[in-house]
Amino acid sequence: MDGERQVERVVVLALDGVYPFELGIPSRIFGAADGRYEVLTCSVDGSPVRSNADFTIGVQHGPEILATADTVVVASVGVAYIPEELPAEVAAALARIRPDARIVSICTAAFVLAAAGLLDGRRATTHWQVTDPFRRRYPQIDVDPDVLFVQDGRILTSAGAASGVDICLHIVRTDHGSELANAVARRCVVPPFRDGGQAQYIEQPVPESGAAGTAATRAWALERLDEPLTLTDLAAHARMSLRTFARRFSDEVGLSPGRWLIQQRVGRARHLLESSDLPVDRIAIEVGFATGASLRQHLHAAIGVSPQAYRRTFQAAGVR
């Protein structure tokens, strides 16, 4: 029953130089999740914060609210506001976060988490344009510049700007299953899951005028995931040579065709595990993995759990 649902408190920390767009993402995404989340915004001292635009943002709460958060989101700041060392007031605010709370950074806020030591020894990401200085400053962190977001235990980091939408939808999906996450995405008019990583957004030469893309072939493949698709099949559909297709696909999606197919098949399998009672071996066939053992291997590689464990977790989440 709705009245028995647990409401998770999400506290968004706004720092000086915050990007207004990214600051609003958690409220917009979590606020569309059927009352499953309460979103509050604070600053390090309860005072208004300067944004990266030409206006100041007032907040309703001070840092004490961080101690009550189930999830803390640190919104991104302009590059000029990235601290060399963590300011004492920011460190004091972060110290209020409960040890079991989930912590999320959007874009350049990964620098804040890194400066606080929260990412030491972990895998993380940030905006591709600042990956090199991030790596030089924090060599103890395994930074991945190609992905839209990374989850390493209770710490999640995301890439630039709109990847904050991706990571918030991922949290909804993790907490409550893909049905609710997809509903939230529809309400916010955003894709529920974006293909590939941020490699597809990195500046690169403009393709020759009239050059064909791979979008139509990707759509064609998604309708045939249960078939044993090969690179030759995909290239033939796109009417390209194998080499040209593989290069153009990687440029557009940020993944090789083979990795992309596995990602799509795992995603389809996750949906079926959540929404149906089909046996694992049958789901494997439906999504194009030859055997249940192959599905188990790929699912474990992607998210670290077996199909049975995933099904138990997410079918239970769906009735909360």
Coordinates of all heavy atoms in Angstrom, one line a residue, residues 7 34 49 52 64 77 89 110 132 145 154 164 166 178 188 200 202 225 262 275 282 317:
V7 N 9.9 6.4 2.4 CA 10.2 7.6 1.6 C 11.7 7.9 1.9 O 12.1 8.1 3.0 CB 9.4 8.8 2.0 CG1 9.9 10.0 1.2 CG2 7.9 8.5 1.7
D34 N 6.6 9.1 -7.9 CA 5.4 8.7 -7.1 C 5.6 8.8 -5.6 O 5.1 7.9 -4.9 CB 5.1 7.2 -7.5 CG 4.6 7.1 -8.9 OD1 4.2 8.1 -9.5 OD2 4.5 5.9 -9.4
V49 N 23.7 30.7 -2.3 CA 25.0 30.4 -3.0 C 25.0 31.1 -4.3 O 24.0 31.3 -5.0 CB 25.2 28.9 -3.2 CG1 25.3 28.2 -1.8 CG2 24.0 28.3 -4.0
N52 N 26.7 29.5 -11.2 CA 27.6 29.8 -12.3 C 27.0 30.6 -13.3 O 27.6 31.0 -14.3 CB 28.1 28.4 -12.9 CG 29.3 28.6 -13.8 OD1 30.3 29.2 -13.3 ND2 29.3 28.0 -15.0
E64 N 23.3 20.9 8.6 CA 22.8 20.0 9.5 C 21.8 18.9 8.9 O 21.7 17.8 9.4 CB 22.1 20.6 10.7 CG 20.8 21.4 10.4 CD 21.1 22.8 9.8 OE1 22.2 23.2 9.7 OE2 20.1 23.4 9.3
V77 N 29.9 22.3 -10.1 CA 30.3 23.7 -10.1 C 31.1 24.0 -11.3 O 31.7 23.2 -11.9 CB 31.1 24.0 -8.8 CG1 30.2 23.7 -7.6 CG2 32.4 23.2 -8.7
E89 N 34.8 24.6 5.5 CA 33.3 24.5 5.7 C 32.7 23.4 4.8 O 31.7 22.8 5.2 CB 32.7 25.9 5.4 CG 32.8 26.4 3.9 CD 34.1 27.2 3.7 OE1 35.0 27.1 4.5 OE2 34.1 27.9 2.7
A110 N 32.8 15.6 -8.7 CA 33.7 14.5 -8.4 C 35.0 15.0 -7.8 O 35.6 14.4 -6.9 CB 34.0 13.7 -9.6
D132 N 41.8 14.7 -17.5 CA 43.3 14.8 -17.4 C 43.7 15.5 -16.1 O 44.5 14.9 -15.3 CB 43.9 15.4 -18.6 CG 43.8 14.4 -19.8 OD1 43.6 13.2 -19.6 OD2 44.0 14.9 -21.0
P145 N 37.0 7.9 -18.3 CA 36.4 9.1 -19.0 C 35.4 8.7 -20.0 O 34.8 9.6 -20.6 CB 37.6 9.7 -19.7 CG 38.5 8.5 -20.0 CD 38.3 7.6 -18.8
R154 N 28.7 2.5 -2.3 CA 27.7 3.5 -2.0 C 28.1 4.9 -2.6 O 27.3 5.8 -2.4 CB 27.6 3.7 -0.4 CG 28.9 4.3 0.2 CD 28.8 4.3 1.7 NE 30.0 5.0 2.3 CZ 30.1 6.3 2.6 NH1 29.0 7.1 2.4 NH2 31.2 6.8 3.1
G164 N 23.7 13.7 -15.1 CA 23.0 13.7 -13.8 C 21.6 13.1 -13.9 O 21.1 12.5 -12.9
D166 N 20.9 10.7 -16.0 CA 21.1 9.2 -16.1 C 21.4 8.6 -14.8 O 20.9 7.5 -14.5 CB 22.4 9.0 -17.0 CG 22.2 9.5 -18.4 OD1 21.2 9.0 -19.1 OD2 23.0 10.3 -18.9
S178 N 12.8 -1.1 -13.0 CA 12.7 -0.4 -14.3 C 11.4 0.2 -14.6 O 11.3 1.1 -15.3 CB 13.2 -1.3 -15.4 OG 12.4 -2.4 -15.5
C188 N 9.4 13.0 -17.5 CA 10.4 14.0 -17.7 C 10.8 14.2 -19.1 O 11.7 15.0 -19.4 CB 11.6 13.8 -16.8 SG 11.2 13.8 -15.0
Q200 N 31.0 9.4 -27.0 CA 30.3 9.8 -28.2 C 30.1 11.4 -28.2 O 29.8 11.9 -29.3 CB 28.9 9.2 -28.2 CG 28.0 9.5 -27.1 CD 26.8 8.6 -27.0 OE1 26.0 8.7 -27.9 NE2 26.6 7.9 -25.9
I202 N 32.7 13.5 -27.1 CA 34.0 14.1 -27.1 C 34.2 14.8 -28.5 O 33.8 14.2 -29.5 CB 35.1 13.1 -26.8 CG1 34.9 12.6 -25.4 CG2 36.5 13.7 -27.0 CD1 35.9 11.5 -25.0
L225 N 17.2 -8.8 -31.1 CA 18.2 -9.2 -30.1 C 18.2 -10.7 -29.9 O 19.2 -11.3 -29.4 CB 17.9 -8.5 -28.8 CG 18.2 -7.0 -28.7 CD1 17.9 -6.5 -27.4 CD2 19.7 -6.8 -29.1
I262 N 25.9 -6.7 -26.3 CA 25.9 -7.3 -24.9 C 25.1 -6.4 -24.0 O 24.3 -6.9 -23.2 CB 27.3 -7.6 -24.5 CG1 27.9 -8.8 -25.3 CG2 27.3 -8.0 -23.0 CD1 29.3 -9.0 -25.0
S275 N 10.1 -8.1 -14.7 CA 8.7 -7.9 -15.0 C 8.0 -9.2 -15.4 O 6.8 -9.2 -15.7 CB 8.5 -7.0 -16.2 OG 9.2 -7.5 -17.3
R282 N 14.9 -19.5 -20.5 CA 14.0 -18.9 -21.6 C 14.4 -17.4 -21.8 O 14.4 -17.0 -23.0 CB 12.6 -19.0 -21.1 CG 11.6 -18.5 -22.2 CD 11.7 -19.3 -23.5 NE 11.0 -18.6 -24.6 CZ 11.1 -19.0 -25.8 NH1 11.8 -20.1 -26.1 NH2 10.4 -18.4 -26.8
A317 N 11.5 -5.1 -4.8 CA 11.4 -3.6 -4.8 C 10.2 -3.1 -5.4 O 9.6 -2.0 -5.1 CB 12.6 -3.1 -5.6

